[in-house]
Amino acid sequence: MKRTSLAALVAASLAIGLPQAGHAAWPVFDATNYGQNVLQAARALEQINNQIQQLQNQAVMLQNMAKNLQRLDFSSLGQLQGALNRIDGLMMQVDGLSFDLTQLEGQWRQQYPSSYDATVSTSDIATAARERWQSAMNAFRQTMRVQSQIVENVRADEGLLTDLVNRSQGAVGALQAQQAANQLIALSAKQQMQIQTLMAAHYRAEAEDAARKAQAEEAARETTRRFLGSGSAYSGN
């Protein structure tokens, strides 16, 4: 029974596959056309993949640009300015000769006269010498205060330097790295400014002390001259 049914099914299939009278024949399979269609579809798929890859590359580029433009969430400017302001405050508290050029000229003529007028008494000369000594001492004291402040700033710079280096090494983009580098440069510039300020205070103190000694010699000569007078008091006349 099963064999009969199978034979009938095969016969029916063959009958369907044969051309019937009054009907058109089945189209013939064109392998060349089919291959060309497959090739075109493959090329189109390749173009789509290339476009997808380009879009992915653009997305990565935009992400990198975003990282490069990301700002560093840290600024040492306030700390650097604060340290310089403290030193500047000490320099403004100067006693004696001023760092201001206009004021310095007037103070110099007053404290270090080229000669002593006859109206200036010996007591006035001694008082002026005492004031110059005190001014020189104040200058040395100010230099030491500036030194102490710079030492304190340098200790604080150690932590700041470590922080900036770590942030520079951990920068996620070019902008963060550049900003961290700029702050490291600013830290170096601040330290150089501190040294320049210290040198100004130091040389001012030395110059004032040297001027005080020179003026003391002139004051001593004037005092001796007045003490000796014309010499008639010791002539026996």
Side-chain angles (χ1 to χ4, degrees):
M1 180 66 180
K2 292 182 178 181
R3 291 180 179 177
T4 302
S5 300
L6 180 59
L9 180 59
V10 172
S13 299
L14 291 174
I16 294 175
L18 294 175
Q20 302 294 325
H23 292 79
W26 287 89
V28 178
F29 176 74
D30 189 348
T32 301
N33 185 45
Y34 177 78
Q36 291 178 349
N37 291 336
V38 172
L39 181 60
Q40 290 178 356
R43 289 175 177 174
L45 180 61
E46 183 179 3
Q47 291 180 353
I48 293 174
N49 289 333
N50 291 337
Q51 292 177 353
I52 293 175
Q53 185 63 43
Q54 290 177 357
L55 291 174
Q56 291 176 343
N57 293 338
Q58 291 178 358
V60 172
M61 181 182 66
L62 292 174
Q63 291 176 354
N64 292 333
M65 290 177 60
K67 290 181 179 180
N68 288 332
L69 296 176
Q70 186 173 348
R71 298 180 61 84
L72 184 66
D73 189 21
F74 177 79
S75 176
S76 61
L77 181 60
Q79 184 173 344
L80 298 179
Q81 286 182 334
L84 291 177
N85 288 338
R86 287 190 292 271
I87 295 178
D88 187 60
L90 292 176
M91 298 295 286
M92 294 297 293
Q93 297 174 13
V94 59
D95 293 326
L97 295 178
S98 173
F99 285 103
D100 183 82
L101 183 59
T102 303
Q103 296 181 13
L104 174 62
E105 290 297 332
Q107 292 174 344
W108 182 269
R109 286 191 296 269
Q110 180 181 359
Q111 296 188 25
Y112 301 92
S114 57
S115 61
Y116 290 94
D117 190 87
T119 58
V120 180
S121 65
T122 304
S123 177
D124 292 337
I125 295 177
T127 300
R130 175 72 182 181
E131 291 176 352
R132 287 190 294 270
W133 173 82
Q134 186 63 54
S135 179
M137 292 297 293
N138 290 337
F140 282 117
R141 177 173 176 267
Q142 184 201 28
T143 301
M144 297 184 68
R145 293 178 65 189
V146 172
Q147 289 175 344
S148 299
Q149 183 62 62
I150 290 178
V151 170
E152 182 178 332
N153 291 347
V154 169
R155 290 172 180 170
D157 289 345
E158 294 178 359
L160 178 59
L161 178 61
T162 302
D163 196 5
L164 288 175
V165 170
N166 290 337
R167 290 179 182 273
S168 177
Q169 294 176 343
V172 298
L175 181 59
Q176 284 193 359
Q178 184 61 47
Q179 288 180 332
N182 290 340
Q183 294 189 51
L184 285 170
I185 294 173
L187 176 60
S188 177
K190 187 212 75 169
Q191 293 175 342
Q192 293 179 4
M193 293 175 67
Q194 289 181 153
I195 295 175
Q196 292 175 349
T197 304
L198 176 59
M199 291 176 62
H202 173 71
Y203 288 127
R204 170 186 172 275
E206 286 194 342
E208 187 166 354
D209 187 56
R212 178 191 65 81
K213 293 177 180 178
Q215 192 67 33
E217 293 178 1
E218 177 61 23
R221 283 193 295 268
E222 178 65 18
T223 302
T224 302
R225 186 188 65 80
R226 293 187 180 188
F227 176 76
L228 295 177
S230 62
S232 59
Y234 304 93
S235 63
N237 298 328

